[in-house]
Amino acid sequence: MRLPDEKQLIEAAFKTKDLEKLHPLIHKLHGGAAYVGTPRLQKTARACEQAIKQNQNDWEVHYFALIEAIDHLLSTT
C-alpha cells in the first residue's frame, strides 16, 4: 500500500479515536519505515506506537508528530 493511502487510514482511525485500529496501522508503518530506511518516520512511528500501547495521555502529541513526518516525507519524494 502507498504512503498516502496509509496516511488516510491512520487519519480516519484517529478521527474516531479508534485505538484498536490505529495501533496496528502505525505498527505496520513503523515496520515499513524501518525496512525502507526512513529514520525520521521510523522514530516517530515507534514513539506513537509505544504511547498508544502504553496508554499514555500524550499519545496525540506523538500522532501529530507522525503526521508531520509523513507529510515531510511525501513532500520530498
Side-chain angles (χ1 to χ4, degrees):
M1 185 173 284
R2 297 177 41 239
L3 185 56
D5 299 329
E6 292 288 334
K7 181 184 174 195
Q8 283 185 330
L9 292 173
I10 289 169
E11 289 176 323
F14 174 78
K15 285 179 184 174
T16 61
K17 303 292 191 243
D18 189 342
L19 299 181
E20 290 184 21
K21 284 186 182 177
L22 188 59
H23 182 264
L25 290 168
I26 294 173
H27 177 76
K28 180 181 173 184
L29 180 63
H30 174 227
Y35 181 75
V36 298
T38 52
R40 178 179 177 190
L41 183 57
Q42 179 185 1
K43 180 181 175 183
T44 56
R46 179 179 56 240
C48 188
E49 179 185 3
Q50 288 176 346
I52 291 170
K53 186 176 180 179
Q54 296 170 0
N55 200 27
Q56 295 175 358
N57 291 335
D58 66 344
W59 70 269
E60 288 184 7
V61 172
H62 296 285
Y63 166 81
F64 290 116
L66 175 62
I67 294 300
E68 183 179 308
I70 292 171
D71 288 340
H72 175 75
L73 183 60
L74 289 172
S75 73
T76 60
T77 56

